Amino acid sequence: MLFNKPPSPTRPRRGAGHEPRPRPAGPRPNGPDTPLMEPAALDRALRHAAWRDPRVERKKFTEVYSAVRTLERTAAYVDQALERLAEVAEALRIGQTTEHDLMRGLQAARIEEVLDSLDRLSKIAADGKLNLLHGESESLYLDFGHEAFRYVLPPFDLRRGPKGLDIPHLKDGFENSSDVQAVSQAVRLAHVRVSQFAARLSHDAGMLVRMAKTYEADISVETEEGASHTPVD
């Protein structure tokens, strides 16, 4: 009878303060509806990571480290895209302020050359791996912890066309002022969008580095504990 006695209803089984918290309503942190991982979401992910298995820790450390490298590689190409958009903005300024037809023609050609190079950047960003600058590629995602917490980064389309940055061509050079204004406005908007994506890459890389350090620390502790239990001959 003593072993079959049910627990007292007034006495918590796991102690006060250990009851699981209810999951908040709404989309999961850092899901498709949330562009950045907030500090509270990161804390939850780290708590989930505390449910540990050494083999899982090593696997997750490798996955997170690989994701950080992907973000860093992507950020390098994004920086190049920002530089080229800045070149286009300067060429537009020069072309609209100069009176020399030859100079205006050279600036128009330069604008088209630089904008077309964005398509090449979006292709070579893959480097044989996941390409986050081609809108038709797969998203980068990682699952953390036993509650299937997922980090997702959808691809950004760096191409010049309508599916990407949507920057029109200067069909008549600087002869058509409405075309020039359309290109100028599209370049300004593209610079804002690419800058926002660059900021997210920086934010998420920092967050994943923190996550990788958590896994790495757990692996180190597990390795030290295993060594301390190794019998000495």
Side-chain angles (χ1 to χ4, degrees):
M1 292 297 294
L2 291 176
F3 294 99
N4 295 326
K5 183 178 179 180
S8 172
T10 60
R11 187 175 175 181
R13 292 187 178 185
R14 299 178 60 191
H18 290 279
E19 293 79 7
R21 300 180 184 178
R23 180 181 294 277
R28 287 193 173 191
N30 208 36
D33 300 324
T34 307
L36 294 177
M37 178 175 280
E38 301 297 333
L42 175 58
D43 291 339
R44 280 194 292 272
L46 291 173
R47 285 200 303 272
H48 295 169
W51 192 71
R52 297 181 177 97
D53 180 329
R55 292 169 297 180
V56 175
E57 295 295 294
R58 291 189 181 90
K59 181 175 182 293
K60 283 300 175 185
F61 171 76
T62 302
E63 292 176 354
V64 173
Y65 181 74
S66 176
V68 171
R69 296 294 299 270
T70 297
L71 294 182
E72 290 176 343
R73 185 180 69 251
T74 302
Y77 288 106
V78 169
D79 288 343
Q80 292 184 48
L82 288 172
E83 292 175 0
R84 297 185 185 187
L85 288 171
E87 290 181 25
V88 171
E90 178 64 13
L92 283 166
R93 185 191 66 80
I94 295 174
Q96 293 179 85
T97 56
T98 185
E99 297 294 333
H100 299 286
D101 291 339
L102 177 60
M103 180 62 69
R104 290 161 68 92
L106 290 174
Q107 294 305 318
R110 176 61 178 162
I111 289 169
E112 290 301 308
E113 178 187 358
V114 174
L115 289 177
D116 288 341
S117 72
L118 294 175
D119 290 354
R120 294 192 293 272
L121 272 181
S122 71
K123 293 179 181 178
I124 65 176
D127 194 23
K129 302 176 182 178
L130 179 65
N131 186 352
L132 291 174
L133 296 181
H134 197 285
E136 299 175 357
S137 61
E138 297 180 357
S139 299
L140 172 66
Y141 68 89
L142 296 167
D143 289 325
F144 299 108
H146 63 291
E147 295 190 15
F149 178 92
R150 173 164 286 191
Y151 161 79
V152 180
L153 178 63
F156 182 88
D157 201 333
L158 192 63
R159 293 174 295 180
R160 177 184 182 172
K163 293 182 179 180
L165 300 178
D166 195 16
I167 303 176
H169 291 269
L170 274 175
K171 298 178 181 179
D172 301 318
F174 287 92
E175 300 304 318
N176 190 325
S177 60
S178 61
D179 284 350
V180 174
Q181 292 302 319
V183 172
S184 299
Q185 183 176 358
V187 168
R188 286 194 296 269
L189 179 59
H191 196 280
V192 171
R193 290 178 57 201
V194 176
S195 297
Q196 290 174 343
F197 187 69
R200 172 161 188 181
L201 290 174
S202 177
H203 174 279
D204 288 12
M207 179 271 295
L208 291 179
V209 166
R210 288 180 59 189
M211 187 71 72
K213 288 181 178 178
T214 299
Y215 286 117
E216 186 177 30
D218 294 335
I219 294 170
S220 299
V221 170
E222 186 270 336
T223 303
E224 292 174 0
E225 289 178 350
S228 65
H229 290 84
T230 302
V232 180
D233 294 335

